Amino acid sequence: MTKTQQFEQQTKALIDNIKKVCANFGLGNDGNEFKVITQVFLYKFLNDKYVFELKKLDKRLSDVDNWEDVFATFSEKEVAKLNMRLKPSVAKIRPDHFISSLFNSQEKPNFAEIFDTTLTDIAKDNSDIFSVLTEGGEKIVLFENLSKYVTDNRDQFCKAIVNKLVDFSFENIFDEKFDFYATIFEYLIKDYNTNSGGKYAEYFTPHAVSKIMARCLVNGEVNNATCYDPSAGSGTLLMNLAHQIGEDKCTIYSQDISQKSSSLLRLNLVLNDLVHSIHNIIKGNTILDPYHKQANGELEKFDYIVSNPPFKLDFSDFSADLETKANQERFFAGIPKVPAKKKESMAIYLMFIQHIMYSLKDDGKAAIVVPTGFITAQSGIDKKIRQKLIDEKMLAGVVSMPSNIFANTGTNVSILFIDKANKGDVVLIDASNLGETIKDGKNQKTVLTHAEEDQIIDTFNKKEAVDDFSVVVSYDDIATKNYSLSAGQYFEVKIEYVDITEQEFDSKVKGFETSLRNMFSESKTLETTILQRLGHLKYEK
């Protein structure tokens, strides 16, 4: 077992231990369980990160085993100087807020209050850097009182949590890279990634899809890029995009209507060394009130946009508010109708596509997960959007994914790639036959191999035509096909010819004649038998 694998096992074991504590105190499968687990995990991570950075700055702390005793001798002035030298992305933790301090305070009365105060004080001390904003400007801070979610034995609950944290350290894994933290993050929220009562209802974008989107969007050196997701969820797409560009070469912007999503995205940013972007994470309604704007009030334009928007949603309470002149340009193809009987089936994703097209810079690029039906719809808003993409030459390509690539939705999906600078050909890929089907809980899920992921990415980036897999077509070709973006409609129908001799030809013809004569004979026999039996039928009352 490698060092990284060992750390991964230990980190997952910590998460499991926190979940066990929650279960033992009545929070198992409770809607608030995820708040406790994610916030405790983040507290531990920030605590250890602070200590890790202190030790790098001062050898008196790094060269001894009892660093806390040494640190306790530092004056307030010395601590303040060290804090000033820390990177802005490091949360400042007071000595009395260390996990070790909590551990040593367990015998004090009202320990739950001490525990809660520790977390809320850390949140206040670091609110300028680590707070998520609502569209109204309210700050959602790092931590809240967690003991309130337990009805009885709150002191014992908080002690049990601290006891799970004290013997574990993140210090050995801060040098790990994206793949490690992506795995840990997915494990951290895996029990809340279902659409059922009390669970975190987010469609978690599979890493294969996220990786394909990022690597097809970013192909070469990029600097100072702005990256945006208008329906960010927990940030899987943004994290893959930032990793492909370089975490220090991009700034993240997002908006999502869910406070849970925004909190989890913040955690994802902390884990992936993107703390500098936390103040751009907005909790709010993107379609009704997009937050990110320029100084003149116009919507901000971005270099890269990624999105896996909700496909269907009841937007009936807000749709009338969108019928304004200001939104006519943004929603150029129109606003989907609200179904009279099933309001929740309103095709909200069509509004996200239009919002994304409007929010791109003149040379911007985007990748959007869409229902595969979008790429061939013969009328309505779907076709109007495709027509604009073709007529204004801003489509890079489409990748149609295998069925069940998302385990929790049966909708077939494709990835729509937009590139406002692409005035050349368009690549269309049909990857629907790739992958293998596995069981994921009660659902079937299709999983791509790394080789298949690379096949899609390389074919797209090289704009290669591969038999029965991909085609490279012009904008004019697409227009003549009624703006269809389905690769299958452009595949050539090939008929294979085999040279045979005259004798082989005569032999095959005679074989066909013999077979037909036999079938005709059997048909006559069957005809006679049926007529005879019909003649014997009699009417009886």
Side-chain angles (χ1 to χ4, degrees), residues 181-182 185 234-236 239 263-274:
Y181 289 112
F185 180 80
S234 60
T236 307
M239 296 306 102
S263 296
L264 286 173
L265 176 51
R266 172 173 53 194
L267 172 58
N268 223 345
L269 291 173
V270 171
L271 294 180
N272 287 283
D273 202 23
L274 286 158

Side-chain angles (χ1 to χ4, degrees), residues 202-252:
E202 181 218 6
Y203 286 157
F204 189 90
T205 307
H207 283 297
V209 177
S210 303
K211 188 167 97 174
I212 290 168
M213 291 170 73
R215 288 178 58 187
C216 289
L217 277 180
V218 182
N219 190 15
E221 187 72 17
V222 175
N223 286 294
N224 300 319
T226 54
C227 305
Y228 174 53
D229 188 337
S231 56
S234 60
T236 307
L237 293 178
L238 284 170
M239 296 306 102
N240 278 271
L241 179 59
H243 176 62
Q244 184 65 19
I245 294 172
E247 288 83 357
D248 60 338
K249 298 177 181 178
C250 65
T251 305
I252 300 296

Side-chain angles (χ1 to χ4, degrees), residues 536-541:
H536 290 93
L537 292 177
K538 294 181 180 180
Y539 173 76
E540 294 183 1
K541 290 185 179 180

Side-chain angles (χ1 to χ4, degrees), residues 489-501:
Q489 293 194 22
Y490 299 85
F491 289 155
E492 291 184 12
V493 177
K494 296 183 179 179
I495 301 174
E496 293 187 3
Y497 295 92
V498 180
D499 290 332
I500 59 176
T501 65

Side-chain angles (χ1 to χ4, degrees), residues 141-167:
V141 296
L142 274 172
F143 304 122
E144 57 186 291
N145 292 335
L146 295 181
S147 70
K148 66 183 178 183
Y149 297 119
V150 178
T151 54
D152 298 307
N153 300 316
R154 292 181 178 178
D155 286 353
Q156 287 74 15
F157 170 71
C158 295
K159 290 177 183 179
I161 289 287
V162 171
N163 287 334
K164 297 299 183 185
L165 302 179
V166 72
D167 291 327

Side-chain angles (χ1 to χ4, degrees), residues 103-117:
F103 179 77
N104 293 328
S105 301
Q106 289 186 82
E107 300 308 315
K108 294 181 179 179
N110 300 318
F111 181 72
E113 184 176 339
I114 297 173
F115 179 85
D116 286 338
T117 301

Side-chain angles (χ1 to χ4, degrees), residues 130-321:
F130 289 91
S131 292
V132 169
L133 291 178
T134 67
E135 59 191 10
E138 181 182 346
K139 288 184 177 181
I140 303 172
V141 296
L142 274 172
F143 304 122
E144 57 186 291
N145 292 335
L146 295 181
S147 70
K148 66 183 178 183
Y149 297 119
V150 178
T151 54
D152 298 307
N153 300 316
R154 292 181 178 178
D155 286 353
Q156 287 74 15
F157 170 71
C158 295
K159 290 177 183 179
I161 289 287
V162 171
N163 287 334
K164 297 299 183 185
L165 302 179
V166 72
D167 291 327
F168 175 87
S169 176
F170 279 115
E171 288 188 52
N172 292 320
I173 62 175
F174 287 126
D175 291 330
E176 295 299 328
K177 302 302 179 184
F178 169 76
D179 289 337
F180 175 86
Y181 289 112
T183 301
I184 293 303
F185 180 80
E186 187 168 358
Y187 190 82
L188 184 65
I189 71 167
K190 68 182 178 68
D191 289 339
Y192 315 105
N193 185 31
T194 58
N195 194 14
S196 57
K199 295 289 188 178
Y200 178 61
E202 181 218 6
Y203 286 157
F204 189 90
T205 307
H207 283 297
V209 177
S210 303
K211 188 167 97 174
I212 290 168
M213 291 170 73
R215 288 178 58 187
C216 289
L217 277 180
V218 182
N219 190 15
E221 187 72 17
V222 175
N223 286 294
N224 300 319
T226 54
C227 305
Y228 174 53
D229 188 337
S231 56
S234 60
T236 307
L237 293 178
L238 284 170
M239 296 306 102
N240 278 271
L241 179 59
H243 176 62
Q244 184 65 19
I245 294 172
E247 288 83 357
D248 60 338
K249 298 177 181 178
C250 65
T251 305
I252 300 296
Y253 296 81
S254 80
Q255 191 165 351
D256 195 288
I257 200 167
S258 165
Q259 182 171 327
K260 290 180 180 179
S261 294
S262 299
S263 296
L264 286 173
L265 176 51
R266 172 173 53 194
L267 172 58
N268 223 345
L269 291 173
V270 171
L271 294 180
N272 287 283
D273 202 23
L274 286 158
V275 172
H276 61 275
S277 292
I278 287 179
H279 62 283
N280 298 324
I281 307 307
I282 305 300
K283 183 265 176 190
N285 189 324
T286 304
I287 298 302
L288 183 64
D289 189 13
Y291 179 86
H292 299 291
K293 297 179 181 178
Q294 301 173 28
N296 61 4
E298 294 290 322
L299 290 192
E300 188 62 77
K301 307 291 185 180
F302 300 95
D303 295 305
Y304 294 94
I305 302 179
V306 286
S307 182
N308 175 19
F311 290 170
K312 297 178 180 179
L313 194 69
D314 180 2
F315 207 72
S316 57
D317 291 340
F318 308 106
S319 56
D321 298 331

